[in-house]
Amino acid sequence: MSKKNLSLSTQQKVRKSLSSRYKKETLFQYFGLSSLSVGIIFLVIFFYSVLSQGFSAFTQTYISLKVDFSDNLVVKNNKIDSIDSNFDAIIRSALRERFPEVNNRRDRRELYKLISIGAVYQLIDHLDMSPGDVGSREILSFPTSSDVDMYVKGNIDRKLDESKRTISNNQMMWIDELVEKGEIKMKFNSALFSNGDSREPELAGIYSALKGSFLMLFITLIVSFPVGIAAAIYLEEFAPKNKISDLIEVNINNLAAVPSIVFGLLGLAVFINWFGIPRSSPLVGGLVLSLLTLPVIIISSRAAITAIPPSIKEAALGVGASHMQVVAHHILPLAFPGMLTGAIIGMSRALGESAPLLMIGMVAFIVDIPSVITDPSSALPVQIYLWADSPERAFAERTSAAIIILLGFLLTMNLLAIYLRKKFERKW
Amino acid sequence: MLRKSLLYMSLFLYCLFYGGFANSQASRDYISIVGSSTVYPFTTVAAERYGRSTNFKTPKVESTGSGGGLKLFCGGIGAQHPDITNSSRAIKDSEIRLCAENGISEIIEVKIGYDGIVLSNSLEAKSFNLTLKEIFLALAKNIPDASGKIISNPYQKWNEINPKLPDQAIEIMGPPPTSGTRDAFVELAMEGGCKAFSSIRDLKNSNGDRYKSICHGIREDGAFIEAGENDNLIIQKLETNPNALGIFGYSFLDQNNDKVKGTLVDSVEPTFENIAEGSYPISRPLYFYVKKAHVGVIPGLKEFLREFTSERAWGEDGYLSDRGLIPMPDEERFMVGEAVNSLTAM
């Protein structure tokens, strides 16, 4: 220590170090602020790219055509015979009528490709609903094929050489004419919400995946919530504090950090190979996901129980309540909001999981909507993965749309968790 | 109260575990398909059309990779095992043995057509015309030098391999080793180019392992970039990086003609016609395998085979060719179709 330093009073010392201490504080603030802004920038980029790409998937181009129900239909016993009736021909003749100048075979084939193959199924449904239309002429609107959809949405560059486009010059001319006359219109893409998966982008929907996810979360909730709460209460209130309970605690914390694919392998070995639960069913998916959420629920439930002031428990014991009564009448009701929040956060994690589902066969092409928990089904994140991997261009925007929907559900669940916490939170 | 709820709980679990799926497992009313991710886009289209045009349920198609699919397929006979597995290569002897051990003695092989593997780059970049030998020299980990000695690959730029090629860094994106596309690419393109060296060709008989390690080894110094199984991602990267080449299946080139173009291999352009007639060198047959014992047990299996082998599906102008499957020649198609529909096992 130099003499000079010794001669300084405490006040002087403080004053001298003041500026450097302030500097450190501002530096730290800037550091924090810049990390926050990096996070925000990434979030904005992510949202921008998903929203800008996915937004157009909520609309779909439809083409209006005058179809003639007087020809090509075979009616037997007052019912339309779907095997002998030629629905394809009805749509084709409607297109030919709209463009009578197209008469060579090759051009006609191109013309037919304007319309989605789903038009036929729509026609069948329409006739099922209103069989009185047989013999008349109706103007119906059909989804266009995904290439037309992409073209109308401006995702195909018309200046490119014809061989490099999925739309030919002729098709471009027809589409331009139809758009000009208002016969091709954009409508809300209801197929996206009501259909199962499909390899035709214009028919593909997330309904089967969504329903699969809900069935799975239902199983996860009824399995992991009661088990998780019971385990937490036992560990907090009844279990003797010894080496074994310490070991269990360490293991539970450890399980919460295990990569989710491991649970998938476990599910494959135990639930499918040993118990014989059908592959790809929401039942096995829900059981695997409940293994995944169980540690989260146990940990958050224990935290909720420990947050209750011991005085409440002691008072109850003091007036003669049994241990069981203390738990049922005081601990459980007071800790329940916290447990619920933990469960919802665990559920939202389960909703976004796809890795464990890979092992149990839920990464699959499922068209039919699952109705019971043993039907094959996929899940929302799986659907995103499958669409992202499809070669057809129109799936790119549908992938983003599915991400938007998944984000919407996650946001809703997390908001619900916050709302419940705020509403039922008690301060002591 | 506690005892009652415990009773209900165990009853519920009992129903769940025995009543619920013990029955559903005994029979299955939909077809279960597993296997190759390369065949997946074709099978799913056929499955969807079949599901929509018949009263049967739409088959469930999982993408597990060829090897994983065959392993599941050979697991045994019964509703819990898949009926069909897709494969981007022919079944191996070891897999046939595994199947036989588990009681699957009769397997129907269905060859569905061909698939080309393409090297592509951005439309803005210059077109490449590579020989198989040049592809090998650009991608191999170890290559023979002028005297035939094996050295680690020194080439960093294309024009170092052949002065006619552009003066730009070698940068190739491709699938990881788990992919069937990678296997086929290594076998057809790398090994094909490797065999052009007489010194290595001789090695094949004298030291098979060494031959394989030279011909199948892909460099790890950054010139080859593993881009994951997602081919759309490779195309996106090619768009932003005109210097790079990407390796993927022909169907992706077909769908993205406005973004990327195919590299000529041995001066042959990867087009539908060239792959179909066999002049494009990097192409392979695709298959699926059917368990004969499941025909007649799982409803609709026979009808599904008929749909897949119908002219409107796998024919010249069928809907599968719209998706990039290269159909077999008429005669072969007819022969395979006959054999399949009469359920002739291998």
Side-chain angles (χ1 to χ4, degrees):
Chain A
M1 281 285 150
S2 66
K3 267 183 198 164
K4 205 178 151 198
N5 239 353
L6 282 175
S7 65
L8 290 172
S9 72
T10 317
Q11 210 177 10
Q12 277 170 320
K13 270 194 213 162
V14 168
R15 202 163 288 153
K16 206 158 167 263
S17 67
L18 207 56
S19 70
S20 85
R21 278 161 57 199
Y22 273 133
K23 218 154 86 198
K24 270 184 192 154
E25 191 188 321
T26 25
L27 203 68
F28 182 76
Q29 279 197 15
Y30 276 121
F31 184 70
L33 206 62
S34 56
S35 4
L36 192 66
S37 38
V38 168
I40 289 177
I41 287 169
F42 278 121
L43 198 69
V44 167
I45 292 172
F46 171 68
F47 271 107
Y48 174 75
S49 77
V50 168
L51 287 177
S52 64
Q53 257 204 59
F55 214 68
S56 55
F58 291 105
T59 54
Q60 157 75 31
T61 49
Y62 283 82
I63 183 167
S64 307
L65 278 182
K66 196 179 221 175
V67 288
D68 185 358
F69 287 134
S70 58
D71 213 1
N72 291 314
L73 286 175
V74 178
V75 181
K76 281 180 190 160
N77 312 326
N78 282 330
K79 267 185 78 185
I80 295 158
D81 188 277
S82 61
I83 293 164
D84 289 337
S85 301
N86 193 345
F87 298 104
D88 263 320
I90 295 177
I91 287 167
R92 288 179 176 185
S93 69
L95 275 168
R96 278 205 302 274
E97 213 170 286
R98 176 63 188 79
F99 293 98
E101 70 275 14
V102 181
N103 43 29
N104 87 46
R105 215 178 98 82
R106 212 182 130 253
D107 289 353
R108 275 187 180 169
R109 275 182 60 116
E110 279 186 2
L111 185 63
Y112 301 151
K113 281 194 176 160
L114 293 183
I115 282 203
S116 161
I117 64 148
V120 174
Y121 312 114
Q122 194 189 327
L123 212 58
I124 297 172
D125 287 347
H126 176 85
L127 287 171
D128 271 351
M129 297 283 284
S130 41
D133 284 351
V134 176
S136 66
R137 289 169 148 262
E138 295 284 321
I139 293 182
L140 293 176
S141 78
F142 299 104
T144 61
S145 73
S146 68
D147 288 335
V148 176
D149 189 44
M150 287 292 100
Y151 174 71
V152 174
K153 284 174 181 168
N155 291 346
I156 291 174
D157 186 359
R158 55 184 306 152
K159 285 189 215 93
L160 275 173
D161 192 47
E162 188 177 11
S163 63
K164 303 225 157 71
R165 276 188 259 115
T166 39
I167 292 272
S168 71
N169 286 342
N170 278 338
Q171 285 173 322
M172 247 161 66
M173 200 176 72
W174 298 324
I175 298 166
D176 290 346
E177 189 190 329
L178 288 168
V179 170
E180 211 171 283
K181 298 221 167 117
E183 286 167 60
I184 282 187
K185 279 200 187 112
M186 300 290 261
K187 281 192 197 170
F188 178 66
N189 186 1
S190 56
L192 186 64
F193 295 94
S194 60
N195 284 6
D197 197 3
S198 168
R199 288 306 314 287
E200 316 294 331
E202 69 275 8
L203 301 179
I206 51 155
Y207 186 51
S208 64
L210 202 62
K211 196 158 177 205
S213 269
F214 275 122
L215 289 172
M216 228 156 56
L217 285 188
F218 171 71
I219 302 283
T220 309
L221 190 70
I222 59 166
V223 173
S224 66
F225 195 49
V227 174
I229 287 178
I233 290 176
Y234 179 77
L235 282 174
E236 275 305 314
E237 296 297 323
F238 298 99
K241 296 273 173 276
N242 55 23
K243 280 206 173 128
I244 297 173
S245 62
D246 281 349
L247 188 73
I248 290 174
E249 186 168 348
V250 169
N251 272 304
I252 288 173
N253 289 335
N254 211 6
L255 273 181
V258 163
S260 53
I261 188 110
V262 175
F263 290 106
L265 283 167
L266 186 74
L268 175 68
V270 176
F271 298 131
I272 294 179
N273 292 346
W274 195 29
F275 288 169
I277 305 178
R279 239 178 115 78
S280 318
S281 64
L283 178 61
V284 67
L287 288 174
V288 166
L289 291 181
S290 59
L291 295 180
L292 196 82
T293 49
L294 208 48
V296 179
I297 294 179
I298 295 177
I299 291 168
S300 63
S301 300
R302 289 186 68 180
I305 294 168
T306 12
I308 299 169
S311 54
I312 291 174
K313 186 176 152 190
E314 279 154 15
L317 287 171
V319 295
S322 74
H323 212 140
M324 188 63 214
Q325 282 173 320
V326 173
V327 167
H329 298 169
H330 300 283
I331 305 239
L332 198 55
L334 287 174
F336 203 70
M339 293 169 166
L340 209 58
T341 316
I344 293 173
I345 289 169
M347 289 291 130
S348 64
R349 190 187 155 194
L351 177 63
E353 250 339 312
S354 63
L357 306 183
L358 195 75
M359 306 312 306
I360 52 172
M362 293 193 79
V363 180
F365 177 72
I366 309 284
V367 177
D368 300 335
I369 315 288
S371 50
V372 292
I373 51 170
T374 46
D375 279 349
S377 94
S378 70
L380 260 183
V382 168
Q383 196 64 72
I384 293 170
Y385 168 74
L386 288 175
W387 284 354
D389 219 17
S390 302
E392 290 81 11
R393 181 71 50 82
F395 273 121
E397 59 169 33
R398 277 163 178 79
T399 308
S400 294
I403 293 173
I404 295 174
I405 293 163
L406 179 65
L407 281 179
F409 277 109
L410 289 175
L411 199 68
T412 319
M413 288 174 82
N414 287 331
L415 282 178
L416 187 72
I418 292 173
Y419 171 76
L420 287 176
R421 194 166 64 217
K422 284 266 186 284
K423 188 170 157 89
F424 296 109
E425 195 177 40
R426 291 209 188 183
K427 292 239 157 54
W428 288 288
Chain B
M1 186 194 111
L2 188 68
R3 194 174 298 163
K4 223 175 199 173
S5 62
L6 269 177
L7 185 74
Y8 283 135
M9 185 93 177
S10 46
L11 252 175
F12 171 75
L13 282 177
Y14 177 81
C15 294
L16 212 64
F17 281 85
Y18 293 95
F21 45 81
N23 290 333
S24 74
Q25 229 11 23
S27 67
R28 177 154 47 74
D29 58 354
Y30 57 90
I31 300 169
S32 167
I33 304 173
V34 294
S36 164
S37 55
T38 313
V39 188
Y40 174 87
F42 308 124
T43 316
T44 46
V45 173
E48 189 181 347
R49 301 265 178 149
Y50 159 86
R52 287 190 197 275
S53 59
T54 64
N55 291 325
F56 296 108
K57 283 193 175 179
T58 311
K60 176 190 86 178
V61 190
E62 280 180 55
S63 162
T64 61
S66 303
L70 278 159
K71 206 171 148 195
L72 285 168
F73 180 80
C74 291
I77 286 177
Q80 68 272 35
H81 301 289
D83 314 309
I84 294 177
T85 184
N86 297 321
S87 181
S88 55
R89 56 169 171 78
I91 190 169
K92 290 178 188 162
D93 286 341
S94 60
E95 285 158 346
I96 294 178
R97 271 200 303 279
L98 177 69
C99 267
E101 275 167 28
N102 291 319
I104 306 152
S105 51
E106 289 185 301
I107 304 169
I108 305 167
E109 181 182 74
V110 187
K111 185 172 170 185
I112 61 168
Y114 297 90
D115 177 40
I117 301 172
V118 296
L119 274 154
S120 295
N121 58 356
S122 161
L123 278 186
E124 283 146 42
K126 260 196 266 177
S127 288
F128 274 84
N129 181 0
L130 301 171
T131 62
L132 288 180
K133 192 171 161 185
E134 283 160 358
I135 293 175
F136 171 73
L137 288 177
L139 276 170
K141 192 175 181 191
N142 299 307
I143 57 164
D145 66 359
S147 63
K149 215 177 87 197
I150 303 297
I151 54 167
S152 76
N153 195 337
Y155 298 123
Q156 294 301 328
K157 288 188 162 181
W158 286 105
N159 62 349
E160 292 167 10
I161 297 174
N162 182 344
K164 283 186 202 140
L165 291 171
D167 175 21
Q168 69 185 45
I170 299 172
E171 205 179 339
I172 300 172
M173 285 179 269
T178 46
S179 149
T181 310
R182 162 89 167 251
D183 287 346
F185 180 80
V186 164
E187 230 158 81
L188 295 162
M190 298 273 295
E191 199 174 328
C194 187
K195 276 190 284 199
F197 294 94
S198 55
S199 59
I200 300 182
R201 212 169 35 238
D202 298 339
L203 209 60
K204 188 172 185 177
N205 298 324
S206 58
N207 190 347
D209 287 345
R210 178 109 178 97
Y211 168 80
K212 218 174 163 183
S213 85
I214 295 170
C215 289
H216 289 195
I218 284 193
R219 63 199 294 182
E220 288 154 5
D221 58 354
F224 178 79
I225 304 154
E226 270 176 22
E229 293 261 17
N230 191 326
D231 295 338
N232 279 331
L233 207 65
I234 299 184
I235 289 166
Q236 272 180 29
K237 284 180 184 162
L238 292 179
E239 261 191 292
T240 54
N241 181 1
N243 285 334
L245 289 179
I247 299 168
F248 40 81
Y250 170 75
S251 55
F252 280 81
L253 176 66
D254 192 35
Q255 288 283 334
N256 292 285
N257 260 328
D258 58 340
K259 290 182 175 173
V260 289
K261 60 179 174 229
T263 294
L264 278 65
V265 178
D266 289 340
S267 302
V268 182
E269 206 189 337
T271 58
F272 190 88
E273 292 75 23
N274 288 341
I275 300 172
E277 69 182 26
S279 57
Y280 182 74
I282 320 177
S283 79
R284 58 178 160 169
L286 302 175
Y287 304 87
F288 68 81
Y289 293 91
V290 189
K291 240 173 247 175
K292 193 173 175 182
H294 283 196
V295 178
V297 178
I298 303 293
L301 198 51
K302 206 165 172 197
E303 288 78 0
F304 178 70
L305 291 181
R306 201 175 304 140
E307 168 76 35
F308 210 117
T309 54
S310 69
E311 217 36 35
R312 69 190 182 108
W314 73 353
E316 293 281 354
D317 296 317
Y319 56 73
L320 294 174
S321 76
D322 284 346
R323 302 303 174 122
L325 179 76
I326 317 285
M328 292 180 280
D330 289 347
E331 212 171 296
E332 193 179 8
R333 214 163 56 230
F334 179 76
M335 268 170 52
V336 176
E338 282 283 286
V340 169
N341 286 315
S342 61
L343 302 175
T344 315
M346 292 171 72

